[in-house]
Structures are given as C-alpha cells and as structure tokens.
Amino acid sequence: MLTLFRILSRLPLRVLHAVGAVAGWLVYLASPSYRARFRAHVQIAGLPWAAARGGIQEAGRMIAEVPWLWMRPHDVPLGDKLQWRGAELIEQGLVAGRGLVFLTPHLGCFEICAQAFAERFSASGPVTVLFRPAKQAWLRRVIDASRGRPGLETAPATLAGVRQMIRALRKGQCVGLLPDQVPPQGLGVWADFFGRPAYTMTLAARLLQQTGAMPLLIWGERLPKGRGYVVHVLPAAPIAADLPAESAAAIINQGMEEMIRLAPHQYLWGYNRYKHPRSLDIGVAPAAEPRQEA
C-alpha cells in the first residue's frame, strides 16, 4: 500500500480528482446503507437535493487526493494551488497573542487547512492538529511523515494530546480540530445539529474556555478540475468561560452549520454524524484548570 501511495502521489491533482469523482459515484450506487444515510442527512438539513448532490463525487475526490496531500515533498510550496480568503483574521489573532482555535467541519479538503497555515504563518509558531492514530503500521508511517511538516505538529486523541494542545494555546500558538466528529462516550454532550440531537465533542469549547483563545472557522474549498484549493477563514462566535457545555456545543454546531450551508456540495453527508458514541478509549479530558491572566 505504501508503494501505491507513492505512485499515486506523483499523479496530477486533476487526474486524482477525476478518478475520485467516479469512485465516489460507484460507492454511492453500490452501497444502499451509505446512499440512505447520505440522503437522510441532506433531508434533515432541509437542503434541496440539487444543492448537496455534488457531495457524492466530492467524497471520492477527498479520498483520491490523500496521497498527493500526504506525500507531497515538504520543500515544495503549494504555490498557485492555494488561495486565501480571510487570512487577515489569522494575522489579527496572532498579533493579539491569545492563541487561536481553528474549527473545521467535514467540509471540502480539511487536510489542506493545516498545510496552508504552516506554509504561510509558521514563523509565528506551529499549528497543532488533533488526530486519531491509524491502526495500520504502514498508514501511521505515512501520516506521521505527512503531518510532521515544518510548522505543523500533531496531537493524538489522548489525554497527553489534549494537554499538548492546551500548552500550545497558552504559548499563543494555534490548534485545529474537527468539532463535528463524534467523540467517544463521556467526551461529549447531545446538542442540535441541523435541528437533530447529535453527540458533540466538548473539547473544542473547553480549549477555548480554559485558555481564553480566539475561535476561528476555517475550511478548504476544493476547486474544480484539480486547480487547487481556497482556504476560507471566518469569524466564530465567542464561547464564554462560564457557559455550560451543552450551550457551548450548540454554538459551535451552529458555526459548523453556517459553513456547510456555504458549500453543501462539498460536505461529507455520508459521515455518520448522528451515531451513538463508541465506548471511551482515548482517555479522559483534563479537568478545568485556572485561567492564566496576561
């Protein structure tokens, strides 16, 4: 598999996206359960089918672009494959020195956001992204090599990883995570997502509440025909330090909804967002620590 990844990583992005689009439709047509879940989630969101249907091929493109993203040489810049919208919000946040928490849904190419930050803003410090370690040894090696880029650090979804992110924020650095990912039992609360209760992580809000960091919404738009990506940065609603977990999760879910409505054709509608959480296997998030005043 590692050899296959290396071969695929050398193909032009437009070829990978074209193959991925076909693969996305093949999976959709071949899997009744996936097809039913995809359609049900679009219906729950109250969106017209025409607006979200493109997500079928975009899901395939998301998988097909992984070798290109993960195995791209570290010294090769994204160049004309990358555009920014709203980068000034990051610049303002870095000047404030409070630390930044990037909140990204399963929308477009979420992998590109951290790479784009590392390429443009690494002089201000690295961005630390939360990830769940792969079970396969070969895949762990690929991920470690990819996400261990200059200006990009990783934090495993464990107690140690959470502490790593808190330390980064208290240094005024940046962290990123996907708050619409279903956490294990005990690490979330039930909060509405498109009007239906979904088990929602509390980690994103707790990072903000414990450190006083600034939240920002960010997502990577996938351009057609392999032209590259546009990283969009948007302001996020603040989370008060004394806000209950359920209320904080609801605010973050609303932010995710706002981004998804901007480009529903690039959301991963097949993701099982409303599933019941698995049993706890990544450790318990740390108890609230006293805020350190500047």
Side-chain angles (χ1 to χ4, degrees):
M1 286 297 294
L2 186 55
T3 301
L4 177 60
F5 256 58
R6 289 188 177 125
I7 294 172
L8 292 175
S9 70
R10 297 188 180 100
L11 294 177
L13 189 58
R14 66 179 183 277
V15 174
L16 293 172
H17 280 176
V19 173
V22 174
W25 272 102
L26 289 176
V27 171
Y28 177 83
L29 295 173
S31 174
S33 59
Y34 173 72
R35 189 163 62 247
R37 184 167 61 245
F38 191 109
R39 285 183 168 272
H41 289 177
V42 173
Q43 186 175 25
I44 289 169
L47 293 169
W49 174 245
R53 181 177 55 197
I56 297 170
Q57 60 191 27
E58 292 299 323
R61 286 173 176 148
M62 180 193 70
I63 300 299
E65 70 194 358
V66 165
W68 187 89
L69 289 165
W70 285 4
M71 306 198 76
R72 185 173 56 83
H74 293 186
D75 58 350
V76 176
L78 290 164
D80 60 4
K81 292 292 186 184
L82 177 67
Q83 302 174 45
W84 282 90
R85 300 287 186 275
E88 66 276 4
L89 295 175
I90 297 178
E91 294 168 353
Q92 294 165 9
L94 291 173
V95 170
R98 292 166 46 195
L100 295 173
V101 176
F102 296 127
L103 305 173
T104 307
H106 287 79
L107 178 68
C109 180
F110 34 91
E111 287 281 349
I112 200 67
C113 296
Q115 290 192 20
F117 176 93
E119 184 172 298
R120 178 165 178 168
F121 296 104
S122 60
S124 64
V127 59
T128 302
V129 295
L130 186 70
F131 79 105
R132 185 172 177 82
K135 295 180 180 179
Q136 299 89 349
W138 72 268
L139 187 54
R140 285 199 302 272
R141 290 195 298 271
V142 173
I143 294 174
D144 290 345
S146 164
R147 294 177 172 172
R149 294 173 178 273
L152 200 167
E153 297 184 358
T154 57
T158 62
L159 177 59
V162 174
R163 287 175 172 161
Q164 178 184 344
M165 298 180 85
I166 290 175
R167 288 195 299 270
L169 289 172
R170 287 183 169 158
K171 292 177 184 177
Q173 296 176 358
C174 306
V175 304
L177 66 167
L178 279 67
D180 64 338
Q181 192 162 15
V182 179
Q185 182 68 47
L187 299 184
V189 294
W190 291 95
D192 277 1
F193 184 70
F194 286 114
R196 177 177 172 180
Y199 199 65
T200 303
M201 69 165 61
T202 56
L203 176 58
R206 294 181 72 172
L207 289 174
L208 293 165
Q209 292 174 319
Q210 290 184 30
T211 66
M214 178 188 301
L216 285 175
L217 307 178
I218 185 170
W219 72 283
E221 178 186 2
R222 188 180 297 108
L223 296 176
K225 299 181 180 180
R227 294 205 306 269
Y229 307 90
V230 180
V231 175
H232 297 265
V233 187
L234 303 166
I239 304 293
D242 58 351
L243 196 66
E246 290 79 6
S247 300
I251 290 174
I252 290 175
N253 277 352
Q254 289 169 9
M256 299 300 99
E257 291 177 21
E258 290 172 7
M259 281 192 285
I260 293 165
R261 291 186 188 280
L262 293 175
H265 64 288
Q266 294 207 10
Y267 185 59
L268 201 63
W269 294 106
Y271 177 64
N272 198 357
R273 182 65 183 90
Y274 300 102
K275 67 182 178 182
H276 284 271
R278 63 187 184 278
S279 59
L280 180 64
D281 62 356
I282 65 171
V284 179
E289 302 175 21
R291 287 264 302 269
Q292 294 181 355
E293 301 296 335

